[in-house]
């Protein structure tokens, strides 16, 4: 199958799956279930590409395996965290602003938008599986897998540390500044970015795969400036006393030791 055909098939699959999920969200009045589907959508794209593209099998298998591990971990984590707790406050606010038209507006503003973003971010996984030449696969596979592993570790450990912190009633209203959160305010977002740069490096072992680096670039932009760090910090700054002090001493994204002049 040609590159264009692979991309079109994945677009159709993603749109179809998220449209079906939108129907479920309307029925249960909970648009935040789309967050659980975020990681799973990349797994679907990876496997659809694996069965439709005729690329180098070693690179295909590596990209599919790493994407599946990351995507399923994220989906399971978010499902365990979110299900049974009602609609996420972000979507409650959007529902309130959308009024009676929210039920169909959410298809475009939430589900199809997220599907489009997932399709672009996953370009390394798509384009990296199409070429049948090996290129510089071995060297870049080692580097890319190492970056991916660093990212997965930061994301998984950061999520686990935050979950344990929130589970302790004594921490109600306090700022999480322990473990990895001592070195970056967003270890999970930093890890997410590393995961996708790692996949991008693996895909870049061929010229076509290198085009997919637009995916991790978009993911990093979203995490830092749009729906991740920027959005969360605006809310935390308004609702959590002492958050400004945490910001002053802790890196916003790239991990580093706390600033000694304000460290406790």
């Amino acid at each position: 199958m040609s590159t264009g055909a692979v991309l079109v098939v994945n677009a159709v699959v993603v749109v179809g799956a998220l449209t079906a999920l939108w129907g479920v969200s309307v029925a249960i009045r909970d648009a935040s279930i789309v967050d659980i589907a975020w990681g799973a959508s990349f797994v679907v794209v990876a496997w659809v590409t694996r069965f439709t593209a005729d690329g180098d099998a070693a690179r295909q298998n590596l990209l599919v395996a790493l994407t599946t591990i990351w995507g399923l971990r994220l989906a399971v984590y978010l499902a365990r965290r979110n299900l049974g707790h009602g609609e996420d406050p972000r979507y409650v606010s959007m529902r309130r602003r959308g009024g009676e038209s929210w039920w169909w507006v959410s298809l475009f503003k939430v589900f199809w938008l997220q599907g489009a973003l997932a399709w672009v971010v996953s370009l390394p996984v798509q384009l990296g599986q199409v070429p049948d030449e090996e290129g510089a696969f071995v060297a870049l596979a080692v580097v890319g897998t190492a970056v991916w592993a660093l990212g997965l570790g930061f994301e998984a450990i950061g999520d686990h540390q935050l979950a344990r912190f929130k589970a302790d009633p004594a921490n109600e209203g306090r700022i999480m500044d322990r473990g990895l959160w001592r070195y970056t305010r967003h270890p999970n977002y930093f890890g997410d970015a590393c995961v996708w740069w790692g996949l991008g490096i693996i895909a870049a072992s061929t010229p076509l795969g290198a085009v997919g680096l637009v995916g991790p670039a978009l993911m990093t932009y979203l995490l830092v400036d749009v729906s991740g760090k920027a959005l969360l910090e605006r809310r935390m700054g308004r609702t959590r006393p002492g958050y400004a002090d945490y910001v002053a001493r802790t890196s916003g994204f790239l991990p580093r030791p706390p600033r000694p002049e304000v460290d406790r």
Side-chain angles (χ1 to χ4, degrees):
M1 187 176 286
S2 68
T3 302
V6 169
L7 296 175
V8 169
V9 167
N10 278 321
V12 171
V13 169
V14 169
V15 169
L18 287 176
T19 300
L21 188 65
W22 166 76
V24 174
S25 79
V26 172
I28 66 175
R29 292 184 59 83
D30 185 353
S32 60
I33 59 174
V34 74
D35 291 342
I36 301 171
W38 174 249
S41 64
F42 293 99
V43 178
V44 171
V45 167
W47 281 98
V48 169
T49 306
R50 180 65 181 87
F51 288 116
T52 55
D54 300 315
D56 177 67
R59 186 169 52 249
Q60 286 185 315
N61 292 338
L62 181 60
L63 287 170
V64 169
L66 298 185
T67 303
T68 300
I69 292 169
W70 170 82
L72 291 184
R73 188 215 73 86
L74 181 61
V76 170
Y77 169 76
L78 291 177
R80 293 179 62 185
R81 188 190 71 177
N82 296 351
L83 292 180
H85 297 283
E87 190 171 44
D88 186 281
R90 293 170 299 160
Y91 295 99
V92 171
S93 177
M94 294 171 69
R95 181 182 298 277
R96 184 168 55 248
R97 293 196 302 270
E100 295 183 357
S101 62
W102 173 247
W103 72 272
W104 64 267
V105 170
S106 63
L107 174 62
F108 304 95
K109 292 187 66 174
V110 177
F111 290 84
W112 282 4
L113 174 60
Q114 191 159 125
L117 293 174
W119 184 86
V120 176
V121 171
S122 66
L123 282 176
V125 178
Q126 299 182 68
L127 299 180
Q129 293 194 62
V130 174
D132 58 6
E133 70 267 24
E134 291 186 6
F137 171 65
V138 174
L140 291 182
V142 172
V143 175
T145 302
V147 174
W148 173 90
L150 173 68
L152 185 69
F154 257 85
E155 186 174 2
I157 293 171
D159 283 342
H160 177 68
Q161 290 175 339
L162 182 61
R164 289 187 60 186
F165 179 83
K166 288 184 174 181
D168 186 348
N171 294 323
E172 180 69 27
R174 296 180 60 188
I175 303 299
M176 171 53 165
D177 59 356
R178 308 170 188 175
L180 295 179
W181 301 81
R182 174 180 171 85
Y183 302 100
T184 168
R185 301 197 297 273
H186 305 282
N188 48 350
Y189 294 157
F190 169 74
D192 221 353
C194 286
V195 161
W196 281 95
W197 281 109
L199 293 171
I201 290 170
I202 295 169
S205 58
T206 68
L208 178 61
V211 176
L213 289 172
V214 68
L218 174 62
M219 176 65 95
T220 305
Y221 171 69
L222 293 173
L223 290 171
V224 175
D225 294 323
V226 184
S227 60
K229 173 180 178 292
L231 185 64
L232 178 61
E233 293 202 338
R234 284 197 295 270
R235 178 170 61 83
M236 295 288 285
R238 293 193 304 267
T239 61
R240 292 296 177 90
Y243 194 72
D245 292 336
Y246 177 57
V247 169
R249 66 177 181 267
T250 310
S251 172
F253 196 70
L254 297 175
R256 60 160 179 74
R259 293 183 177 87
E261 65 270 17
V262 291
D263 189 24
R264 291 179 297 179

